Amino acid sequence: MNQPRTPGGRLAAWAELLRVSAAFSVPGDALAGAAASGARPGRRTLLAAGSSLCLYAAGLALNDWADREEDRAERPHRPLPSGRISPAAALTAAAGLTAAGLGLAAAAGRPALATASALAGTVWLYDLKLAGTPTGPAGMAAARALDVLLGATATARTGAAARTALPAAALLGAHTYAVTSVSRHETRGGSTRAPLAALATTAATAATVAGLRRGAPTRLPAARREAAAPGPPGPRRARTAARVGLAALYGTTAAVPYLHAALNPSPPLTQRAVGGGIRAMIPLQAALSARAGALGGALATLALVPLARLAGKKVSAT
């Protein structure tokens, strides 16, 4: 098999390896974590988002390096088994991106570096040991939860911010666990239980974020609670409408393909269910920001949806 001979061909191969369109599901973690911390997002939030993107890309490169023999049999079109990217280049990229992610986190402060180090360790542990095992979904969920906590600790510059952001991190972790459980069957299909469980998780998560579950009130962080309390009922209704609307958007984005995969667990529908679960992360992140009273962060996160679609079309066209 021949290596790509043009810069465009090499760029397309790396874009495929690093799943460029899926990368748009990452920055919203930092914004959701920042919103949950109650601190105002700024330069350190951007550093956290950059760190998250680097560590996410590192995990994708490492994943394909670790799965190169399996992909040779089941996904021969992927960049490594097809020869468009060498295994050594993928492993080097994973190491370099990990170092870059930790460097960006260090620039955001010690609490952020500590969180990013835990995240990087989880990413490498998942790709080298946990992927494909029964504990794989838990490892992936832990990585996504730590990514939310990275946004909180970087923005607030304190380890205590992690405790404030734990509920948001747990909700995104639960969603990630469900998506990863479904993805374990995307090659062969045949599982009705995984998409049904993911459907139930989606319903519970959407209800929690929207504030519809009894015993799960939506409380603003202390820093925003004081600012929001004296306001007129109009802004409060706007915040509630945004939270409920975004939670509904999240629910429908994930639930419809899950339902289709549960009714017909074929590989194509299971793969669509995984894609729907990944796309649903962005409205979930936006809903979590709105739940914390950060409507600006929610809108900024939601703006990533058309960018992700555009990137997906460009990659598929190459």
Side-chain angles (χ1 to χ4, degrees):
M1 287 171 283
N2 296 323
Q3 294 281 353
R5 296 182 181 275
T6 65
R10 287 192 293 271
L11 184 62
W14 280 102
E16 184 181 348
L17 178 75
L18 300 179
R19 283 79 149 178
V20 171
S21 61
F24 287 92
S25 71
V26 176
D29 287 344
L31 291 174
S37 75
R40 184 181 296 275
R43 183 184 69 90
R44 292 187 299 271
T45 310
L46 292 177
L47 289 170
S51 174
S52 298
L53 284 167
C54 288
L55 295 176
Y56 181 81
L60 292 174
L62 184 63
N63 175 79
D64 276 25
W65 178 85
D67 290 349
R68 62 193 184 280
E69 295 303 326
E70 178 184 337
D71 286 347
R72 195 183 307 278
E74 296 185 351
R75 305 176 187 88
H77 60 280
R78 295 288 300 147
L80 266 65
S82 67
R84 289 176 290 149
I85 295 175
S86 70
L91 184 59
T92 301
L97 286 164
T98 300
L102 293 177
L104 289 170
R110 289 184 180 179
L113 177 59
T115 308
S117 298
L119 174 57
T122 303
V123 167
W124 281 71
L125 177 64
Y126 172 82
D127 284 329
L128 298 180
K129 293 291 185 183
L130 302 182
T133 71
T135 57
M140 188 66 81
R144 183 64 71 162
L146 283 167
D147 205 26
V148 177
L149 299 183
L150 175 57
T153 54
T155 303
R157 297 195 72 179
T158 171
R163 291 193 295 271
T164 308
L166 271 177
L171 288 169
L172 267 165
H175 173 77
T176 304
Y177 185 99
V179 177
T180 309
S181 297
V182 176
S183 73
R184 297 182 65 197
H185 306 277
E186 63 181 341
T187 302
R188 298 180 178 85
S191 173
T192 297
R193 180 180 302 177
L196 281 177
L199 189 61
T201 300
T202 298
T205 301
T208 300
V209 175
L212 303 179
R213 291 187 66 186
R214 187 172 298 177
T218 56
R219 288 177 59 82
L220 296 175
R224 289 200 179 90
R225 204 155 51 236
E226 288 184 19
R236 290 198 296 270
R237 284 196 294 268
R239 287 192 295 269
T240 301
R243 184 184 72 235
V244 173
L246 288 169
L249 177 61
Y250 154 70
T252 55
T253 302
V256 172
Y258 285 156
L259 180 59
H260 290 166
L263 294 174
N264 178 10
S266 63
L269 288 181
T270 302
Q271 291 163 14
R272 289 181 190 175
V274 174
I278 294 173
R279 288 192 300 273
M281 285 183 180
I282 297 179
L284 175 56
Q285 293 158 343
L288 288 170
S289 289
R291 182 176 186 249
L295 292 186
L299 292 175
T301 302
L302 200 61
L304 296 171
V305 172
L307 296 177
R309 290 176 179 169
L310 180 61
K313 289 179 181 178
K314 286 190 174 182
V315 170
S316 62
T318 55

